[in-house]
Amino acid sequence: MRRVSGLIVALFIAGAMSGTASAQDTLKKIKDSGTITLGHRDTSIPFSYYDDKQQVVGYAMDICMKVVDAIKANLKMPKLDVKLNPVTSATRIPLMANGTIDLECGSTTNNLERQKQVWFATTHFVTANRFVSKKSSNLKTVDDLKGKTVVSTSGTTNIKNATEINVEKKLGMNIIAAKDHAESFLTVESGRAVAFFMDDILLYSLVANSRNPSEWVISADALTVEPYGIMMRKDDVEFKKVVNGAINALYKSGEINKIYGKWFLKPVPPKGVNLNVPMSAPFKKVVAKPTDSGDPKDYQ
């Protein structure tokens, strides 16, 4: 029995070490395959989405491509192939954990709970959780949603926050989950829900690109602070060093201002809408002093 038990323990340790090693070898994986795979979103305007030519574009994509350039330089691989793999709010973490994607370039909130599963690069945006509704519904605060049907996107921190608030305030809301942001917005637009909980920057974008922007209103009260970060596999120290180094260099050089301006202060595809969202004070603070913290208090 002792011999068998010892063998089982040895195999368990070897397996654990093997799993850890694979988690720490993203640079080797990329070099051996000659390919880096970027996870991207389809409707997260202006961070990561398909434009009218079905090309993947966005603010987060531009930052990720700067990271790819840094990885090429680090590995001395000028011909590194870039593969694009669509992800959703529900699939992005599993696809990162199982090695399908190497970076996730989108609008993913970095928080302490998610850091138990994945790591995040230096924060590239700071937003807040709010809700959008039709002006005709006259919904100004969360309390106005008592007993009503609301929606959020599956796999997001927003639906979790809405659920927590629902219990805490005993609102009796009926919370439904949609597969993506476009479907969530459509759920309110079609009257199946009265409000959509999501990061305010994504709500501004959805409203700006809607058929009738003037009929919508976004809540004034911010429910939570949401720092966005590019995801990577957990415990990969060397890879994170290269990724953060590339992003921090954008901040130090001031190049981030050009990239930010392109997506938030100028017309963006597919409709040429200008979101006109100046860089926030919390994000300016990040640019001046880069951080990858998942604690909302560090952004106040």
Side-chain angles (χ1 to χ4, degrees), residues 41 87-95 153-156 178-179:
R41 305 298 296 276
V87 300
T88 67
S89 297
T91 64
R92 55 191 169 183
I93 291 179
L95 290 176
T153 306
S154 177
T156 63
K179 67 177 181 179

Side-chain angles (χ1 to χ4, degrees), residues 109 111 114 125-132 140-142 145 150-153 156-166 173 175 181 195-204 218-228 296:
T109 298
N111 60 33
R114 283 178 174 165
F125 197 83
V126 182
T127 184
N129 185 13
R130 304 179 196 268
F131 68 84
V132 66
K140 301 184 183 303
T141 69
V142 173
L145 301 175
V150 301
V151 64
S152 191
T153 306
T156 63
T157 56
N158 310 83
I159 198 166
K160 180 176 181 291
N161 294 150
T163 302
E164 291 170 347
I165 290 170
N166 195 28
M173 294 187 298
I175 303 173
H181 304 326
F196 168 27
F197 284 90
M198 186 43 57
D199 301 336
D200 57 11
I201 185 60
L202 299 179
L203 295 180
Y204 291 135
I218 296 170
S219 63
D221 294 339
L223 306 180
T224 59
V225 175
E226 306 280 330
Y228 286 174

